[in-house]
Amino acid sequence: MSPVLIRFLAWLSVVAVLLAGAGWWLTRPKPVVVTVKEIGRGTVESTIANTRAGTVEACQRTRLSTISGGRIERLAVKEGDRVQQGQLLLKLWNDDQQAQSALAQTQVATAQQRVREACTVAANARSEAERQAALRGRGFVSAAREEAARSEAAARQAGCDAARAEVTQAKSRVNATRVEQGRTVLYAPFAGTVAKIVGEVGEYSTPSPPGVPTPPAIDLIDDSCLYVKAPMDEVDAPKIAAGAAVRISLDALPKRSFTGTVRRVAPYVSAVEKQARTVDIEATFDDPAAPGRLLVGYSADVEVILATHASVVRVPTSALLEGGRALVAGSDGLLHERKLLTGLANWEYTEVIDGLQPGELVVTSLERAGVKAGVRFLADVPAAGNTL
């Protein structure tokens, strides 16, 4: 074979190799872009949260209405006022009852005068009976005269006792008129803030009869003591007990949370139409001053902490596949599937008992197309500064 042909064949083979390499390079699978997180140590908690928004409630709240209806004569407070226990809030027109009370007090005074009169006469009659008995002993008067004096004394004493009974009766009438007047006034049963007043001076205030939802005249709130009431799924209710630690978050104070404690778990299940059955829990703030001034009715969420493991290897829960598997970004540029043994978990982190070591990289963008074991990858976020 001639040297020219040999050189031509050599050149042709080189071109073939280059073309084959170029074809492989052009047709090779492109690496998938993934987001990775570096495994580290931290705290993992097992928690449960409320199914619907909870509410900030006052420890004491009462909606007051007068027992009797009538025209409002005096409003001693206005909405937003702070009041002390026993302070007058509202008074209805009750001049007729005051007149009855004045009459009853006059009757008491009259009855007391009658007592003085009747009892004075009774005392004289008793003295006369004793005198007649002494004269009868010495034979100066007859037995009939003595008996008549004794009967007169007894009758006068009965009159004295009857007059005293009239005084008691008159005082009872005074007390009865005071009770009637009490039906037309409202006093604060505890210190608090007037949240709402229904009615104005001169308007008619109607108490709520049984079964008829009439708005109360005054809504009084003790905002010095607040708690959060939140509905929990009935499935989680057996896991919660009074004294459990919680985290409370408020829509009015975003990006903040406050530690608290479960103070009560409702002893019954609430069934709300078209919604899941729930059990209400009540949680208090460990530091009531921490959130500042809260308004009754704020929406709030309660996260009950069931267990806590500190300084454990943890993986983002979003990085887990079904069956407790994860994709690890290998140093060879390929994704590798790893079976994990897990412990405590929540929506953010899951404890890793076995299967991962601190410093390894796991894929968190599992929803991206082409992300699977065995493929080449390209991390879109540098591992540095992206540690758990």
Side-chain angles (χ1 to χ4, degrees), residues 1-10:
M1 185 178 295
S2 66
V4 174
L5 182 58
I6 292 174
R7 285 195 298 270
F8 174 76
L9 291 176

Side-chain angles (χ1 to χ4, degrees), residues 142-324:
S142 64
R145 181 65 180 271
E146 179 190 4
E147 185 62 28
R150 289 185 180 278
S151 297
E152 178 68 14
R156 297 298 183 183
Q157 184 59 46
C160 174
D161 295 339
R164 288 197 176 101
E166 288 180 1
V167 171
T168 301
Q169 186 180 37
K171 289 181 178 180
S172 297
R173 281 195 294 269
V174 171
N175 292 333
T177 59
R178 288 174 179 169
V179 171
E180 287 299 318
Q181 290 182 67
R183 294 173 178 268
T184 62
V185 292
L186 288 179
Y187 294 97
F190 52 82
T193 301
V194 178
K196 188 173 181 59
I197 299 174
V198 177
E200 297 290 343
V201 173
E203 293 182 348
Y204 197 89
S205 178
T206 304
S208 297
V212 179
T214 303
I218 291 180
D219 187 0
L220 183 63
I221 296 175
D222 178 11
D223 53 5
S224 65
C225 173
L226 300 175
Y227 67 93
V228 175
K229 182 178 180 181
M232 312 297 291
D233 193 288
E234 62 175 338
V235 176
D236 296 326
K239 306 173 188 176
I240 308 172
V246 301
R247 270 192 301 270
I248 302 172
S249 56
L250 302 153
D251 290 348
L253 301 173
K255 299 181 181 180
R256 296 180 63 188
S257 63
F258 308 93
T259 60
T261 306
V262 175
R263 77 167 191 175
R264 176 180 177 270
V265 180
Y268 62 90
V269 175
S270 300
V272 181
E273 186 178 359
K274 298 182 180 179
Q275 294 182 358
R277 295 174 181 267
T278 57
V279 175
D280 288 336
I281 67 168
E282 297 176 0
T284 56
F285 294 91
D286 288 343
D287 181 7
R293 184 174 182 270
L294 297 180
L295 299 181
V296 174
Y298 269 164
S299 60
D301 292 315
V302 176
E303 191 177 10
V304 181
I305 302 171
L306 303 179
T308 302
H309 289 177
S311 190
V312 296
V313 178
R314 63 183 187 179
V315 62
T317 302
S318 60
L320 293 180
L321 295 165
E322 186 177 354

